[in-house]
């Protein structure tokens, strides 16, 4: 049996109380094996981002258990969660979240300075094809380039897991494909588990596993036997 | 109808309630100062006017040696005189059981069997005197209170050489004696000078004044010429030993009250504008940056079809809500503060009642300035925002451009980690914003520096006056100009270490249009106990020719060294002297004029005369010395420097100077408000960056460093700038607090700057801590979802 990156049991998240309570997650049971590319699909408000936030150490569950490699995330203190994010997790966001006052190289360095076993920032930027633009500030780059810097920043720490929340949401399809390519490379060369939250169903074709969300729970988990490359995907 | 935009307005206000409150508070205290100070001045002026009017205080006072009552009719006949009252008054010495020293007093007559036409008294306790009983007296309430005397008590006093026992039947106040100073002393001291009112018949008997008076009081008809009346009175009284009529404006008590209220008026007009200007500047900065941070929302509203005017009006309302809210709060605080302070002043000025009045113009000015400065801040930025196309709101925001940042040097690059670079780049790349924060904090620091310098200045005035100018322990005044052999008598007393003669001669000093009613202090050529000093605190030797004036007096008379003064002596033969100004002395208390004693006596043609002496004594033998002095018939009064120093402290701490504590507190509030706002704005601008840092694994402390490092650097840059600004403001503030009675120097004192720096750093630490709490609580997820 494959080793699990994440397991959840009865994971529940409720926002608010009483009549105004919103159930974002309704007892999710899930297993995500190590080293896979997993795509979480579902309409807005179905709970996929909430799940990502909880197992990414950004939010806390109301009930249930979420574990990362046997470590119980739901019991961790703020300090431990920070350490977890620092050591194991890389994040890529829809709006890149780069530091505008730092160059591409420095944005990556921002993470390598605090990581235990980072790669060279130049190497990380070379992986995303930005070798020539290391000294540019975010304001001097296109959206796709900024997103690739964000990916370089996420992978430079040699993360065990890479969380991507709508990584192509703000990009055109051509740029989006190149970003997905980078994610696939990271998965293949670094062996990192990659979780991608997206609206775009077609992106599921590059995943090892597709998890369909609806109404705060998993509707279906599909194992993809015929993975496509990002170039082959149309959306 | 409440529009959706109004809903947004209310919610925005609620969302930024912390910052809105901080801005509102800064405006509020600025407006409070204005409303409170002008209200105080108006109230004191109005109360004084009403008190004077109700108790018929005279407009003109004239002392004579002795004039028959029949002369009163002729005085009343002078054109412009409305009413006349003649009375008997004289010096007295009161024996108090608890005091080794006799206390000087003034005895004043009240008409038999009728109300005084002028200078009525206000009976606060007991009853009026019975004219048939010559031993009944009224006592000045402040003196009675200070010495625990009540109606029903008796006291012993010496009048005209005769010692008598009197019964106190009542306590009284009078607008004539709001301030009481013993002859030859500058500062009021309730305990050390008394006023006794007696029936005219009893007092006339005591001073051999039956059918006569030695002081005339006159009130003027509306539109009368004061100088003309003074002239006519002088002519009429000249042959009766008149020492010169003088107007109410030169009467001791009134002069003191006026100087105090003028001091307050100077502080009221000079200081609050500085506070309000700082508040206005801060408001401008805060509002402009606040509107800037709303940039994307503005674009979005325009995309929905709102016009520039509608969007502008929306933000304008937000700005106005904060500005008007703050200003109204300031008005309320000003009223409350004014009401509290007026209690202090009423007690201090000894007004029997209080007319509390606010100055409506201060409300208008306060609210107006707040709205204007807030609008200026808002408008300036809205103009930039209006050029924004709606489309720009639909795209992810372009990150601020840091590409033009001067590349940090390679060597520096190696030392600095990324968070430090972020801090440095923001400071170097956005110099406008940083300068705004720096100047704002520096302005707050400057206020604190100025107020602390002022506190130091008050201490300096006391220190200089009592340790450098006057180094004596005891001042003795004689009943009349005594031969200088009296000095030798004093020198022989056991325990007396040093004796220095002085002759104080009342005089009116004239120079052109300017005149001053004061005295000439005749001192030895190189005095050691009471001296004229120059700016470098070195004693000024008194030359054989001319007078040396205190700088304050030189300013009043508009003269410089080398000019010539006309001095009308108001004693003895009353000669008129033409004297050159020999030099200008530094003096922080009063406006003395010094002269060489020998030269003064020669000019008066009364050689070898003294009117008093300064003594330095062995403190172990003080009681015995006081006892001996009390028994010396030539001694009219003895005053201790310790008492004078306390009296001065009282004047400074309860008079016009008291407001400095309120101002000091306000300065600190403003300083804190500015620093806190700077921190809040910086956080608002960087909230998303900080959350991103937290998400990628930075600890709370590491993320906070990026923000607090910036605040720290801004604060550190602001401190030297604030010191410099404060140095200049302190001159204005010190001048605002200086009166004719005392001058407050703007003393450069390192501790003022150190304390102000500590205040600013303390405010920065507290603000940093408050903001850090928010960083710790920041919602990481929402920060990632928001675009800007």
């Amino acid at each position: 049996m494959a080793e699990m990156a994440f397991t959840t049991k009865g994971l529940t998240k409720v926002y608010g109380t009483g009549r105004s309570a919103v159930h974002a997650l309704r007892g999710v049971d899930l297993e995500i094996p190590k080293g896979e590319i997993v795509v979480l699909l579902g309409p807005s408000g179905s709970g996929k981002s909430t799940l990502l936030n909880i197992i990414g150490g950004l939010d806390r569950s109301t009930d249930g258990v979420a574990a990362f490699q046997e470590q119980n995330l739901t019991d961790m203190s703020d300090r431990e969660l920070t350490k977890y994010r620092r050591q194991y997790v890389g994040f890529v966001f829809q709006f890149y979240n780069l530091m505008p006052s730092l160059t591409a190289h420095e944005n990556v360095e921002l993470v390598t300075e605090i990581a235990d076993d980072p790669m060279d920032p130049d190497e990380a930027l070379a992986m995303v094809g930005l070798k020539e633009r290391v000294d540019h500030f975010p304001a001097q780059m296109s959206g796709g380039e900024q997103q690739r810097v964000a990916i370089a920043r996420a992978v430079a720490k040699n993360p065990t897991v890479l969380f991507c929340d709508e990584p192509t949401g703000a990009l055109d399809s051509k740029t989006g494909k190149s970003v997905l390519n980078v994610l696939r490379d990271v998965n293949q060369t670094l062996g990192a588990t990659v979780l991608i939250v997206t609206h775009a169903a077609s992106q599921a074709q590059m995943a090892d596993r597709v998890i369909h969300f609806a109404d705060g729970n998993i509707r279906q988990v599909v194992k993809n036997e015929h993975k496509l490359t990002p170039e082959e995907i149309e959306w | 109808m409440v529009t959706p935009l109004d809903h947004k307005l209310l919610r925005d206000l609620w969302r930024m309630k912390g910052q809105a409150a901080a801005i509102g508070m800064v405006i509020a205290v600025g407006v409070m100062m204005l409303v409170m100070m002008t209200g105080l001045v108006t109230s004191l002026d109005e109360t004084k006017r009403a008190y004077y009017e109700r108790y018929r205080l005279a407009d003109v006072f004239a002392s004579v040696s002795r004039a028959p009552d029949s002369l009163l009719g002729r005085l009343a006949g002078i054109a412009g005189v409305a009413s006349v009252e003649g009375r008997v008054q004289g010096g007295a010495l009161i024996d108090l059981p608890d005091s080794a020293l006799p206390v000087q007093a003034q005895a004043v007559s009240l008409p038999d069997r009728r109300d005084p036409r002028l200078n009525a008294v206000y009976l606060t306790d007991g009853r009026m005197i019975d004219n048939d009983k010559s031993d009944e007296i009224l006592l000045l309430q402040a003196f009675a209170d200070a010495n625990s005397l009540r109606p029903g008590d008796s006291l012993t006093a010496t009048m005209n050489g005769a010692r008598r026992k009197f019964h106190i039947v009542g306590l009284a106040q009078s607008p004539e004696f709001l301030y009481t100073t013993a002859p030859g002393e500058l500062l009021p001291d309730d305990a050390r000078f008394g006023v006794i009112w007696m029936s005219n018949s009893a007092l006339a008997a005591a001073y051999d004044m039956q059918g006569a008076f030695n002081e005339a009081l006159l009130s003027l008809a509306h539109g009368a010429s004061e100088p003309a009346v003074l002239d006519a009175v002088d002519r009429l009284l000249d042959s009766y030993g008149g020492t010169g009529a003088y107007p109410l404006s030169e009467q001791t008590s009134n002069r003191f009250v006026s100087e105090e209220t003028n001091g307050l008026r100077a502080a009221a007009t000079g200081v609050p504008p500085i506070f309000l200007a700082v508040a206005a500047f801060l408001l401008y900065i805060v509002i402009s940056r606040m509107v800037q941070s709303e940039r994307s929302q503005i674009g979005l509203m325009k995309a929905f079809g709102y016009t520039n005017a509608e969007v502008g009006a929306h933000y304008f309302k937000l700005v106005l809500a904060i500005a008007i809210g703050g200003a109204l709060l300031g008005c309320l605080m000003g009223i409350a503060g004014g009401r509290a302070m007026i209690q202090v002043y009423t007690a201090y000025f000894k007004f029997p009642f209080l007319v509390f009045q606010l100055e409506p113009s201060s409300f208008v000015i306060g609210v107006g300035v707040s709205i204007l400065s807030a609008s200026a801040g808002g408008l300036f930025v809205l103009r930039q925002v209006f050029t924004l196309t709606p489309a720009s709101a639909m795209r992810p925001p372009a990150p601020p451009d840091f590409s033009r940042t001067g590349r940090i040097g390679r060597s520096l690059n190696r030392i600095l980690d990324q968070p430090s670079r972020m801090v440095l780049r923001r400071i170097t790349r956005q110099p406008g914003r940083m300068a705004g924060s720096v100047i704002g904090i520096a302005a707050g620091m400057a206020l604190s520096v100025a107020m602390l310098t002022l506190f130091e200045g008050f201490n300096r005035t006391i220190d200089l006056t009592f340790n450098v100018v006057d180094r004596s322990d005891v001042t003795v005044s004689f009943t009349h100009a005594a031969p200088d052999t009296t000095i030798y008598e004093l020198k022989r007393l056991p325990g007396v270490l040093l004796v220095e003669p002085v002759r104080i001669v009342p005089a009116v000093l004239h120079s052109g249009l300017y005149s001053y009613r004061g005295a000439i202090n005749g001192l030895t050529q190189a005095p050691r106990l009471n001296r004229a000093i120059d700016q470098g605190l070195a004693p000024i030797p008194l030359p054989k020719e001319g007078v040396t004036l205190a700088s304050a007096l030189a300013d009043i008379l508009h003269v410089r060294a080398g000019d010539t003064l006309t001095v009308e002596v108001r004693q003895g033969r009353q000669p008129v002297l033409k004297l050159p100004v020999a030099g200008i002395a530094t003096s922080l208390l009063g406006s003395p004029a010094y002269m060489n004693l020998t030269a003064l006596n020669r000019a008066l043609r009364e050689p070898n005369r003294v009117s008093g002496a300064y003594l330095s004594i062995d403190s172990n033998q003080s009681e015995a010395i006081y006892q001996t002095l009390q028994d010396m018939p030539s001694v009219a009064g003895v005053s201790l420097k310790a008492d004078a120093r306390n009296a001065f402290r009282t004047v400074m701490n309860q008079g016009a100077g008291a407001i400095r504590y309120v101002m000091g507190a306000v300065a600190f509030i403003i300083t804190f408000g500015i620093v806190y706002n700077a921190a809040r704005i910086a956080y608002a601008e960087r909230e998303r960056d900080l959350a991103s840092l937290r998400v990628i694994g930075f600890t709370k402390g590491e993320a906070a460093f990026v923000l607090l490092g910036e605040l720290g650097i801004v604060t550190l840059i602001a401190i030297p700038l604030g010191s410099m600004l404060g140095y200049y403001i302190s001159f204005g503030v010190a001048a605002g607090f200086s009166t004719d009675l005392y001058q407050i120097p703007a003393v450069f004192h390192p501790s003022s700057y150190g304390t102000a720096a500590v205040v600013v750093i303390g405010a920065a630490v507290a603000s940093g801590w408050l903001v850090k709490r928010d960083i710790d609580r920041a919602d990481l997820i929402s920060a990632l979802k928001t675009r800007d």
Side-chain angles (χ1 to χ4, degrees), chain B residues 144-169:
Chain B
D145 288 348
N147 290 294
S148 310
L149 293 167
R150 309 290 322 144
D153 293 348
S154 39
L155 66 81
T156 312
T158 309
M159 287 180 193
N160 205 16
R163 214 171 135 93
R164 288 176 61 191
K165 194 173 174 185
F166 296 96
H167 295 292
I168 304 166
V169 297

Side-chain angles (χ1 to χ4, degrees), chain A residues 121-138:
Chain A
D122 289 325
E123 194 188 323
L125 283 163
M127 266 183 81
V128 296
L130 284 175
K131 212 172 170 182
E132 308 303 319
R133 313 215 61 180
V134 289
D135 282 335
H136 285 70
F137 283 92

Side-chain angles (χ1 to χ4, degrees), chain B residues 66 90 107 146 252 277 324 443 771 779:
Chain B
R66 182 193 165 94
T252 318
I324 294 177
V771 174
D779 182 355

Side-chain angles (χ1 to χ4, degrees), chain B residues 591-763:
Chain B
S591 308
Y594 303 99
M595 204 170 155
N596 186 303
L597 177 60
T598 319
L600 177 64
N601 279 335
R602 194 169 52 236
L604 296 173
R605 293 194 210 153
E606 292 175 356
N608 306 326
R609 293 275 151 175
V610 296
S611 68
Y614 299 111
L615 272 59
S616 166
I617 63 168
D618 175 358
S619 57
N620 291 327
Q621 302 185 53
S622 55
E623 287 299 316
I625 295 172
Y626 301 155
Q627 195 58 51
T628 317
L629 289 174
Q630 187 168 8
D631 294 339
M632 288 173 72
S634 55
V635 170
V638 178
S639 61
L640 305 185
K641 189 161 80 176
D643 289 339
R645 188 198 294 261
N646 287 339
F648 199 11
R649 277 193 202 286
T650 308
V651 167
M652 288 179 153
N653 291 337
Q654 293 174 17
I659 204 78
R660 72 185 188 273
Y661 295 112
V662 179
M663 287 190 177
V666 168
F668 291 144
I669 292 176
I670 291 189
T671 305
F672 180 81
I674 290 174
V675 178
Y676 178 67
N677 272 303
R680 279 246 74 93
I681 296 165
Y683 178 51
E685 288 172 355
R686 323 213 54 189
E687 201 172 351
R688 188 160 170 272
D689 286 355
L690 295 177
S692 302
L693 285 177
R694 292 273 292 118
V695 168
I696 62 178
F698 277 67
T699 62
K700 290 171 181 174
E702 286 164 341
F705 167 79
V706 174
L707 183 70
L708 301 183
E710 179 184 320
L711 180 65
I713 289 180
V714 164
T715 306
L716 289 181
I717 299 173
I719 284 174
L721 185 67
S723 302
M724 233 163 60
L725 261 172
Y727 178 76
Y728 291 107
I729 292 182
S730 61
F731 284 97
V733 172
F737 271 86
S738 295
T739 67
D740 286 352
L741 179 70
Y742 57 79
Q743 286 83 49
I744 302 301
V747 192
F748 176 86
H749 208 280
S751 76
S752 309
Y753 292 78
T755 311
V758 168
V759 167
V760 169
I761 291 170

